[in-house]
Amino acid sequence: MHRVIYRSNALIGEYTPGALDILATSERRNCEDGITGFLHREADNFVQVIEGEGPAVADLVMRLRADRRHAGMTILSEQTISVRAFESWDMAYASNHQLSLSQTVPEIWGRSSLTHNATDRLIAFLQDLAARKLRAA
């Protein structure tokens, strides 16, 4: 099992048809490809965690690099994992209207990679958002 975390600059508005299409397409394709994860939007930035089998994750990363709805994609972390952090989410989504990632993992914006500690805090932050979404549903 493989996990990739990346950051990029959003080139589309938050509540535009293009933004909604990201979620619809992600849920459909990720389910087909065995991918799980979480997409967080903070101001004009995306941070996404992608989990799945190595080849499926690599294919998705290639498609994401070509996606014109964002730019400046930076891989912050790549690792082999034994357990998924977002097992029940084909693609969960939240924005900083719920909670701010900048307050929990401020170094996510200024670095080209994340330490193990920062990765753990990021995953915990997004898992908390996912749990909140489940409770609200």
Side-chain angles (χ1 to χ4, degrees), residues 43-109:
D44 289 331
N45 299 289
F46 290 124
V47 174
Q48 186 168 16
V49 177
I50 304 164
E51 302 170 325
E53 295 301 326
V57 170
D59 288 347
L60 177 54
V61 168
M62 282 181 26
R63 289 194 310 270
L64 288 168
R65 287 195 183 282
D67 193 321
R68 293 180 162 207
R69 296 172 291 193
H70 70 147
M73 185 174 167
T74 301
I75 303 294
L76 300 170
S77 175
E78 269 189 274
Q79 59 190 144
T80 300
I81 57 172
S82 56
V83 177
R84 294 176 190 244
F86 302 98
E87 184 175 1
S88 60
W89 293 95
D90 294 328
M91 187 50 59
Y93 172 80
S95 69
N96 64 323
H97 299 295
Q98 284 91 16
L99 286 174
S100 175
L101 180 58
S102 295
Q103 295 171 355
T104 306
V105 191
E107 63 267 43
I108 198 163
W109 309 119

Side-chain angles (χ1 to χ4, degrees), residues 6-24:
Y6 76 86
R7 172 190 68 224
S8 65
N9 303 313
L11 299 178
I12 56 174
E14 186 169 357
Y15 299 107
T16 62
L20 298 174
D21 183 55
I22 289 173
L23 296 176

